[in-house]
């Protein structure tokens, strides 16, 4: 039997100015997508703000639960955490691809134009530029795990929420789950 690994997809409402604008358009509660390689969510990657004080400086980020993901305005950070089992080969390709992007992260930018393209249903191709859901879909596709029947630049956070291959293992306030020890329950579920 082939060895398998688990990856995690984290959807959040980060409360940023940009996420609030996206929420106005999508009318969905969770508009940021990240990929994680561990149950404890210590190794979480996405495309988002590089500088918390400036929403226009974005790119590849290794996210921190108490940094970039937990809201700073004292309101709950709502989240949904999904898991998916993949082959060891897919898992290793995912890790290599993300390490490659992390190593060359200065070449990568946040794809603001791509977000505008989704709104107006116009394909805007940009090299080395991603928005969060495009990034996660892209690394999955690159690694041989294509969850969607569309190109990565059209994938939205809602597509992840609706994906039948992903199993939801937690939904609620991210900070409270961690602080109240429910994170341990989450880990047992995974």
């Amino acid at each position: 039997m082939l060895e398998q690994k688990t990856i995690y997809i984290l959807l959040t409402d980060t409360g940023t100015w940009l996420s609030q604008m996206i929420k106005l358009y999508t009318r969905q509660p969770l508009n940021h997508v990240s990929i994680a390689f561990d149950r404890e969510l210590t190794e979480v990657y996405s495309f988002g703000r590089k500088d918390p004080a400036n929403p226009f400086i974005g790119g590849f980020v290794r996210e921190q639960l108490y940094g970039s993901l937990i809201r700073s305005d004292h309101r709950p950070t709502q989240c949904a955490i999904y898991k998916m089992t993949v082959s060891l080969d897919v898992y290793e390709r995912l890790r290599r691809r993300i390490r490659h992007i992390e190593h060359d992260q200065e070449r990568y930018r946040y794809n603001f134009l791509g977000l505008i393209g989704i709104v107006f249903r116009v394909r805007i191709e940009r090299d080395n530029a991603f928005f969060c859901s495009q990034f996660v879909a892209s690394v999955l596709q690159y690694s041989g795990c294509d969850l969607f029947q569309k190109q990565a630049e059209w994938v939205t956070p809602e597509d992840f929420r609706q994906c039948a291959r992903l199993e939801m293992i937690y939904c609620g306030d991210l900070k409270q789950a961690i602080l109240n020890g429910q994170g341990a329950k989450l880990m047992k579920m995974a």
Side-chain angles (χ1 to χ4, degrees), residues 110-132:
Y110 191 86
N111 192 4
F112 287 106
L113 291 176
L115 289 177
I116 294 168
I118 286 181
V119 170
F120 292 106
R121 301 185 195 285
V122 174
R123 185 170 185 211
I124 299 173
E125 292 183 68
R126 297 187 63 212
D127 290 335
N128 300 328
F130 298 95
F131 47 86
C132 63

Side-chain angles (χ1 to χ4, degrees), residues 18 34 173:
L18 182 59
S34 310
D173 178 17

Side-chain angles (χ1 to χ4, degrees), residues 141-185:
Q141 287 173 355
Y142 177 88
S143 301
C145 185
D146 194 357
L147 298 179
F148 309 106
Q149 298 299 314
K150 55 181 154 181
Q151 294 174 318
E153 66 224 28
W154 296 110
V155 174
T156 67
E158 183 64 10
D159 291 321
F160 285 95
R161 196 178 74 74
Q162 298 292 330
C163 182
R165 289 188 54 196
L166 297 174
E167 176 187 351
M168 184 190 301
I169 58 172
Y170 180 80
C171 185
D173 178 17
L174 183 58
K175 186 175 185 179
Q176 286 304 310
I178 296 164
L179 292 176
N180 292 336
Q182 291 186 21
K185 292 178 191 173

Side-chain angles (χ1 to χ4, degrees), residues 24-128:
L24 282 174
Y25 172 75
T26 66
R27 293 181 166 68
Q28 297 299 322
L30 305 174
N31 288 290
H32 182 65
V33 181
S34 310
I35 186 169
F37 290 102
D38 63 329
R39 297 183 295 204
E40 297 79 19
L41 303 176
T42 60
E43 191 176 356
V44 181
Y45 302 95
S46 190
F47 267 65
R49 293 178 302 162
K50 288 182 110 24
D51 178 354
N54 187 336
F56 298 106
I57 298 175
F60 176 81
V61 290
R62 181 169 179 173
E63 296 180 314
Q64 305 296 318
L65 291 183
Y66 286 102
S68 54
L69 291 179
I70 300 289
R71 293 172 65 146
S72 61
D73 60 6
H74 305 293
R75 291 185 291 170
T77 299
Q78 294 301 311
C79 76
I81 302 170
Y82 297 82
K83 74 175 185 174
M84 180 174 68
T85 303
V86 297
S87 71
L88 180 60
D89 185 49
V90 166
Y91 182 84
E92 288 174 350
R93 280 185 290 197
L94 277 166
R95 299 211 38 118
R96 278 193 306 272
R97 180 67 177 151
I98 289 176
R99 274 195 300 270
H100 171 76
I101 293 170
E102 185 174 33
H103 182 264
D104 291 331
Q105 63 184 288
E106 66 280 349
R107 294 180 48 224
Y108 292 88
R109 302 289 176 255
Y110 191 86
N111 192 4
F112 287 106
L113 291 176
L115 289 177
I116 294 168
I118 286 181
V119 170
F120 292 106
R121 301 185 195 285
V122 174
R123 185 170 185 211
I124 299 173
E125 292 183 68
R126 297 187 63 212
D127 290 335
N128 300 328

